[in-house]
Amino acid sequence: MRFGFQHGGRKGRDCATRGMGRGRGFGGGFGGGWGHGPDGGRGARGGGGRRRMFDGSELRLVLLSLIAATPRHGYDLIREIEALSGGAYAPSPGVVYPTLTMLVDMGLIEEQKTDGAKKQFAVTQAGTEQLTEQSETLKLLLTRLAELGSVSERTSGGPVRRAMGNLRSALQDRLTREDIDPDTLHQVAAIIDEAVQKIERL
């Protein structure tokens, strides 16, 4: 029985200020919107409902392609995806290992005997056929990873990261004072909105 992969959508971003009232401030709100998301990844940070990196079927397809390239175990797959994204994203073991079990159940990969304790997986003929059928979707997913790595590389350091850190500290300091009032909140929001507009016009 053939199981196809559905190319699913991605959830929209929440407001960057979500969770300020709960003491989280802006930590994790800058330097990219990726991290721990619904797909259980590190880097595509989605604890506040931010955009997820892959849906379940997309992650299955990416894992299948990596296993087809060379037999791998779960940890290898996590590290390889992290490398493809330039270190910006890595799916969690809690998502990867159940996905591998699902791929085995679907007959797309099979476990190989190894000398070590770790389970290593190889692609089956059905898995190879699935990759051929889904080649265009796979190309888009790998491009998404590469683009994420490119964005991370451009924004991971330098003056922009320093400025974002300063802004985060200033906001945390000002917005946690006892004398904060609605007028001050509106002024802070207006300053941030003005900065956003200026950046968008660059």
Side-chain angles (χ1 to χ4, degrees), residues 65-114:
S65 71
L66 296 177
I67 293 170
T70 183
R72 303 173 192 267
H73 54 72
Y75 184 79
D76 286 337
L77 292 163
I78 294 172
R79 296 285 74 84
E80 181 63 19
I81 291 177
E82 186 173 25
L84 290 172
S85 69
Y89 166 74
S92 72
V95 170
V96 168
Y97 287 103
T99 301
L100 291 174
T101 299
M102 184 178 298
L103 287 169
V104 171
D105 292 341
M106 296 168 71
L108 302 178
I109 63 174
E110 59 187 4
E111 185 177 343
Q112 285 188 332
K113 292 184 178 180
T114 62

Side-chain angles (χ1 to χ4, degrees), residues 21-201:
R22 295 188 294 275
R24 291 204 304 261
F26 284 77
F30 298 114
W34 304 98
H36 295 282
D39 55 347
R42 177 185 61 75
R45 298 183 192 262
R50 295 192 186 104
R51 185 167 58 177
R52 63 196 294 181
M53 185 65 197
F54 295 127
D55 67 20
S57 61
E58 291 173 337
L59 182 60
R60 288 198 299 270
L61 187 56
V62 171
L63 293 176
L64 181 61
S65 71
L66 296 177
I67 293 170
T70 183
R72 303 173 192 267
H73 54 72
Y75 184 79
D76 286 337
L77 292 163
I78 294 172
R79 296 285 74 84
E80 181 63 19
I81 291 177
E82 186 173 25
L84 290 172
S85 69
Y89 166 74
S92 72
V95 170
V96 168
Y97 287 103
T99 301
L100 291 174
T101 299
M102 184 178 298
L103 287 169
V104 171
D105 292 341
M106 296 168 71
L108 302 178
I109 63 174
E110 59 187 4
E111 185 177 343
Q112 285 188 332
K113 292 184 178 180
T114 62
D115 294 334
K118 295 180 180 178
K119 292 183 179 180
Q120 181 170 282
F121 300 94
V123 72
T124 64
Q125 181 61 37
T128 300
E129 293 173 0
Q130 187 68 250
L131 288 171
T132 300
E133 294 173 4
Q134 298 291 324
S135 60
E136 291 302 315
T137 299
L138 176 61
K139 190 179 301 183
L140 292 174
L141 298 178
L142 295 179
T143 297
R144 189 189 303 174
L145 277 173
E147 289 176 347
L148 175 60
S150 178
V151 170
S152 177
E153 182 178 356
R154 293 196 304 270
T155 61
S156 63
V160 172
R161 189 171 184 82
R162 175 195 55 77
M164 290 192 300
N166 289 342
L167 175 60
R168 180 172 59 246
S169 296
L171 289 170
Q172 288 175 333
D173 178 67
R174 188 66 188 89
L175 299 182
T176 55
R177 294 182 187 176
E178 294 183 358
D179 62 346
I180 191 72
D181 56 51
D183 287 340
T184 301
L185 290 174
H186 286 301
Q187 291 178 41
V188 170
I191 291 171
I192 296 174
D193 288 339
E194 182 181 0
V196 170
Q197 293 170 9
K198 288 181 177 179
I199 292 172
E200 291 176 341
R201 290 196 294 267

